[in-house]
Amino acid sequence: MTDASTPLIVGGSAPADARPDADLLEGLNGPQREAVTYRGQALLIVAGAGSGKTSVLTRRIASLLRTREAYPSQILAITFTNKAAGEMRERVHSLIGQRADGMWISTFHSACVRILRREAQQFGFTKAFTIYDSGDSRALIKRLVKEHEGDAFGLTPAGTQSRISKLKNELADAESYARSANMSDPAERVFVEIFGSYQRELQRANAFDFDDLIAQTVYLFRAFPQVADVYRKRFRHILVDEYQDTNHAQYALIHELTRPPGSDAEPMSAGGGMMIFDAEPEAESGASLTVVGDSDQSIYAFRGADIRNISEFERDYPGAKVVLLEQNYRSTQNILSAANAVISNNFDRKDKKLWTDVGAGDPIIGFTGYSQHDEAQFVADEIESLHRKGVDYSQMAVFYRTNSQSRALEEIFIRSAVPYKIMGGTKFYERAEIKDALAYLVAVANPADSMALRRILNRPRRGIGDVTETAIARYAAEHDITFRDALANSAQLGVGPKLQKAIDQLDAVLSEATAVMLPASGELAPSTSVTEGLTLLLNKSGYFDALRASKDPQDEARLENLDELVAVTREFARNNPEGTIIDFLTEVTLVADADDLDDASGSVSLMTLHTAKGLEYDAVFLTGVEEDLLPHRISANEPGGPQEERRLFYVGITRARKRLHVSLAMTRAQFGEVTVAMPSRFLQEIPADLIDWRQSPGDVNGRGGMQSRALNARGRRPGQTGGGNRYGDDLVPLPKRAPADPSKFPNRIPAKVRDNGDMELAAGDRIRHDDFGEGRVDAITGEGAKRVAHVRFDTVGAKKLLVKIAPISKL
DNA sequence: CATGTACGACTTTTT
DNA sequence: GTCGTACATG
């Protein structure tokens, strides 16, 4: 399978003795060099964390262009996030300049949208289709579950949504699923019905959900080989990053794209999945495929990622070349040793050891707080300390397992004046008022989308409720017109004159905005049309007025958010002079707001471990390293769950360049109740001599108590890193306790949690507390591990104590 | 049809 | 502590 351009690579026809891409190889190690220069049909780059894979990938692309083996338009590079795509584009651009234009560097989803917009009319959609995010699709599924009375069969909207999503990721549809399902189970039948109607509703609304973007593109390629061939001929070099996190649909998409053009036109080979390299002699060969991944960083199995895509790559693409990148250029040896030790607890993985030559570096810092606020205060103090030593805020990050953990950190950071920024989390575009405004835009851009229309029907309040909505829907169904068109016939809906007027007014506003944003005669709408249309919609619909008239103080913030959205449209117009309303909507649906506007701003980044993948920071704080949180409780029952959690922990560790902190809290308020937390099993997997516990779980148990660092820590000085005694020199000396044997508690954690267990306590009892002295129990509330004693202490007043772990004794 | 109150369920991670 | 739903009332 000799590539026509191979001679260039070995130097044969390159000008003189210098390779045209020689400068691109500077500073690369052997395997990296090979990953850049290898030419062939299929290449797998197994890239450990921090092994310079982004650099390799960008140089590979640059090399292909520089040697003129490929035009920019022949390159398709897939990344995991839009942010990564932007960075890659920038880096390629800085390597080779203008010639980077014309490449497709994007996420799977963005690439598929681009294809679908062009080809939608081939299979019953228009190019104005809308994209349903998970919130939109949940709303639709919720309605359908209700209509089909799915709750009677134990079907919840959330459960139904995730099952449908999983099936779509497997390229199944309602029909094919029904064939394999146990249809004598009524719950299954209802599920299949809901799945089917969901898909019909999407089609009717001229809409795709996130999963459809991939799955329907695959369907398109399979159903219309001549369409697929267009893209097969175009993309000669396909590169996929984070390949370990691809799901089956994405895998199939890549397979479709790398087949030789014209291959399914042959009747004999049509439908044969295994004939990827079975090109006719005269036929053009399939695109060359480069995938990069690390199975140790696979953390998206929950959304269908299939690790086999990478582990069986060599089987899927016979003759594939495999390059291993194991040298790490990011972290110190201590951090890598911890990472290696942790990940080696996962069985059935190929052994792979990261190494570096930069030296051991600082030890990992451990801290155990009494509460999550206490833990957060440690993080804040430590950040301030590092900042004083010259570490920029933007070079520090705090990770956590679940989004809800960000709240406690936020509270303390505000109080401690630590500048921070939360990546992801509750998103701007998920706010109700923003979704409303976008629904107005969708109602204009895609009149078939009745979901959007239903959403804005009564926003602001127009007196249009369920009854009227149903009347409109029925009228539309009876006359076989769209929901949107039904609005124009308000007189025939059988509703009162007041409602008629309200409907007429909404209809008029939408029509007026349509004229602005989608001029009829095919003339191009000016780039300002989105801004203009949006302000028109919000003003004339009465949305702005309703918010301004409101007494709810939150509505002021909503107005500000909407102003922000208008500003976003202006920005969009500036960046996309040709951009239409449809482009705008695509962008806001697919681009997470965590993607833009980052670092430079000089603040600490807070994010989930999932979001952290692919990023790196000088100092990293891994918080909430507790059982039931990391690993998360829910993962325990899922096949492969605990191992995936371990990989998540591994990903977190390997983000750190110089300083890693792991922290946990002994108690955590969740859901209003305080619960006792146990140190994570993963902590024990880190060799004890790598962690310098400022305050180990053992310390906390020994001293016990509800004393909160968050409340009294301001006067404290965070100790200097590395030096000093093992337990940190800023802590109150442990009273009375024999100096603990250092080998005893670091990492020997769960066994030593203080446990008063079944201590009998009742109102009226007198107790002694290690820190608070004597007091009298007023009441006992809660049960089991969450039993709380309300105690009035003689000297410090009333306190609430968790009976199970408080350092108390009965008198 | 809109508003207010009470109750319950729930929180894993994301394009 | 938060969200959304169910019900009762105006």
Side-chain angles (χ1 to χ4, degrees), chain A residues 214-226:
Chain A
I214 316 288
Q216 297 278 23
T217 306
V218 173
Y219 167 79
L220 170 79
F221 284 169
R222 289 184 176 168
F224 303 93
Q226 72 282 10

Side-chain angles (χ1 to χ4, degrees), chain A residues 124-144:
Chain A
F125 291 83
T126 78
K127 63 171 47 162
F129 63 79
T130 25
I131 302 162
Y132 281 13
D133 66 19
S134 7
D136 300 327
S137 87
R138 193 185 325 125
L140 175 52
I141 287 172
K142 202 162 157 188
R143 201 181 86 214
L144 293 173

Side-chain angles (χ1 to χ4, degrees), chain A residues 327-349:
Chain A
Q327 182 173 1
N328 178 292
Y329 294 94
R330 178 186 297 154
S331 310
T332 64
Q333 188 59 49
N334 278 343
I335 292 168
L336 292 182
S337 300
N340 284 330
V342 167
I343 200 65
S344 68
N345 286 283
N346 272 0
F347 54 90
D348 82 359
R349 68 181 270 280

Side-chain angles (χ1 to χ4, degrees), chain A residues 533-578:
Chain A
L534 179 61
T535 39
L536 185 152
L537 285 166
L538 292 174
N539 276 317
K540 297 209 173 169
S541 67
Y543 202 104
F544 271 148
D545 290 339
L547 284 181
R548 277 194 281 260
S550 160
K551 286 197 183 85
D552 187 341
Q554 289 205 316
D555 283 340
E556 210 170 312
R558 298 200 172 99
L559 274 171
E560 281 170 23
N561 286 333
L562 289 171
D563 283 340
E564 175 72 26
L565 182 67
V566 174
V568 171
T569 64
R570 285 209 193 88
E571 176 73 20
F572 172 80
R574 248 197 308 281
N575 297 336
N576 307 275
E578 311 268 286

Side-chain angles (χ1 to χ4, degrees), chain A residues 25-169:
Chain A
L25 303 179
E26 265 168 41
L28 297 186
N29 65 31
Q32 287 178 326
R33 220 169 251 257
E34 173 139 50
V36 171
T37 57
Y38 176 79
R39 297 296 186 267
Q41 281 302 114
L43 169 65
L44 164 63
I45 304 172
V46 176
S51 59
K53 85 182 170 174
T54 309
S55 183
V56 164
L57 215 43
T58 50
R59 284 164 199 246
R60 184 171 169 84
I61 294 171
S63 159
L64 286 168
L65 296 174
R66 179 77 63 77
T67 57
R68 304 197 175 271
E69 289 164 72
Y71 295 112
S73 63
Q74 292 177 322
I75 289 179
L76 170 64
I78 302 284
T79 60
F80 200 66
T81 63
N82 291 289
K83 183 178 175 181
E87 278 169 10
M88 184 175 294
R89 175 173 292 281
E90 209 169 287
R91 288 177 68 163
V92 173
H93 196 270
S94 74
L95 286 173
I96 57 144
Q98 284 307 313
R99 294 199 59 210
D101 300 342
M103 288 184 298
W104 281 31
I105 302 186
S106 70
T107 61
F108 271 107
H109 296 268
S110 301
C112 287
V113 168
R114 250 172 119 168
I115 294 170
L116 289 172
R117 291 247 184 254
R118 287 190 199 181
E119 317 291 346
Q121 64 285 359
Q122 305 264 8
F123 63 127
F125 291 83
T126 78
K127 63 171 47 162
F129 63 79
T130 25
I131 302 162
Y132 281 13
D133 66 19
S134 7
D136 300 327
S137 87
R138 193 185 325 125
L140 175 52
I141 287 172
K142 202 162 157 188
R143 201 181 86 214
L144 293 173
V145 168
K146 202 178 234 167
E147 279 173 21
H148 289 84
E149 288 169 344
D151 54 338
F153 300 92
L155 298 180
T156 62
T160 308
Q161 182 180 25
S162 95
R163 280 181 70 190
I164 289 177
S165 172
K166 285 213 169 77
L167 287 169
K168 285 187 176 183
N169 287 335

